[in-house]
Amino acid sequence: MVSNLQEQMKVQKMNIEERMSKIGKKVAIGSGKGGVGKSVVTSLIASYLAKQGKTVGILDLDITGPSIPMMFGTNEKPIGGSSGIMPVVTERGIKIMSMSLLLPNNEDAVIWRGPMISGAVSQFLADIIWDELDYLLFDLPPGTSDVQLTLMQSIKLDGFLVVTSPQILAATIVKKAISMAEELNVKILGVVENMSYALCPDCGKIINVFGNGEVNKMGVPIVGKIPIDPKISKLCDEGKIEEYEIDLGGIYDILEGL
Ligand SMILES: Nc1ncnc2c1ncn2[C@@H]1O[C@H](COP(=O)(O)OP(=O)(O)O)[C@@H](O)[C@H]1O
Ligand SMILES: [Mg+2]
């Protein structure tokens, strides 16, 4: 029994190594906080990379609160076989995998304890047939929990992007994410400031909704700024996030340089 389990773990580890060897760069996107826009940022970066001609996948690791398929407007059921599970492909060719695609009803709640969630992360890493990709982005759940630990212990990430909104409170969240990444030996690439500013619809003036500059004090560079824009939430609700136009050249350059 024990040796059987050990054998299974060994096979899983080999599968993870084999799958990940075909991926160019593996980047996690996270934050200590929920609702700051991790999934929006992941989706926008993936869309931008795809527009530049890169092959991209997103693994939605928010097992209990998945939102990536909804943002891309897909609820297709993935096809599985003895060699693994095929990701679903979005309109612009981004490959995605999420717990919500595997549930009989995508509104079903996943109420699991930590070990089961860790198990799901390992299975995703071992079983999804991404094939060759330039980039695989990991959309993390909030905080520093089993998912983050399992991911960072199972594969060698090329980097970690921290998402925050420019509130004073958000700085402590950045600090937490940084100390976890440091502990697990993952390179912090920078902070993406979401809901960073608003544009006045009448005069085009930039309005700093949450104030300015708090995350700068953390000594981590801000690599991208995304405005608070009703178009973003509308496109999320409509499943058309790929259509949002934004220049993320700064993030692109950093990812290309990895
Ligand atoms: N920059 C933004 N402008 C407008 N709405 C946003 C923005 N970022 C996020 N939202 C809204 O907030 C919701 C939560 O964002 P989400 O990315 O799911 O957060 P998280 O993944 O951090 O929990 C989204 O569904 C979207 O409607
Ligand atoms: Mg999310």
Side-chain angles (χ1 to χ4, degrees), residues 31 33-41 44 62 65 67 70-71 139-140 142 163 194-196 226-234 236-237:
S31 170
K33 205 169 166 229
V36 293
K38 293 177 295 297
S39 303
V40 164
V41 170
L44 292 177
D62 198 342
S67 57
M70 202 189 76
M71 290 180 180
D139 181 24
L140 298 176
V163 180
N194 186 33
M195 309 192 215
S196 184
I226 293 166
I228 184 161
D229 185 345
K231 262 190 244 153
I232 292 182
S233 41
K234 187 164 176 282
C236 282
D237 292 346

Side-chain angles (χ1 to χ4, degrees), residues 55-75:
T55 49
V56 189
I58 303 178
L59 179 55
D60 181 355
L61 286 179
D62 198 342
I63 309 283
T64 56
S67 57
I68 292 292
M70 202 189 76
M71 290 180 180
F72 286 91
T74 179
N75 192 24

Side-chain angles (χ1 to χ4, degrees), residues 155-191:
I155 67 167
K156 177 85 191 110
L157 286 172
D158 294 287
F160 190 101
L161 282 168
V162 183
V163 180
T164 186
S165 56
Q167 291 150 293
I168 296 168
L169 252 181
T172 55
I173 293 148
V174 177
K175 212 184 240 171
K176 267 190 206 159
I178 292 169
S179 58
M180 182 183 68
E182 275 173 354
E183 208 159 300
L184 293 166
N185 239 335
V186 180
K187 188 175 167 197
I188 299 264
L189 304 175
V191 172

Side-chain angles (χ1 to χ4, degrees), residues 99-116:
M99 201 60 202
S100 77
L101 296 172
L102 300 175
L103 298 172
N105 177 348
N106 71 339
E107 273 146 31
D108 287 349
V110 178
I111 308 161
W112 284 356
R113 289 182 194 279
M116 277 183 81

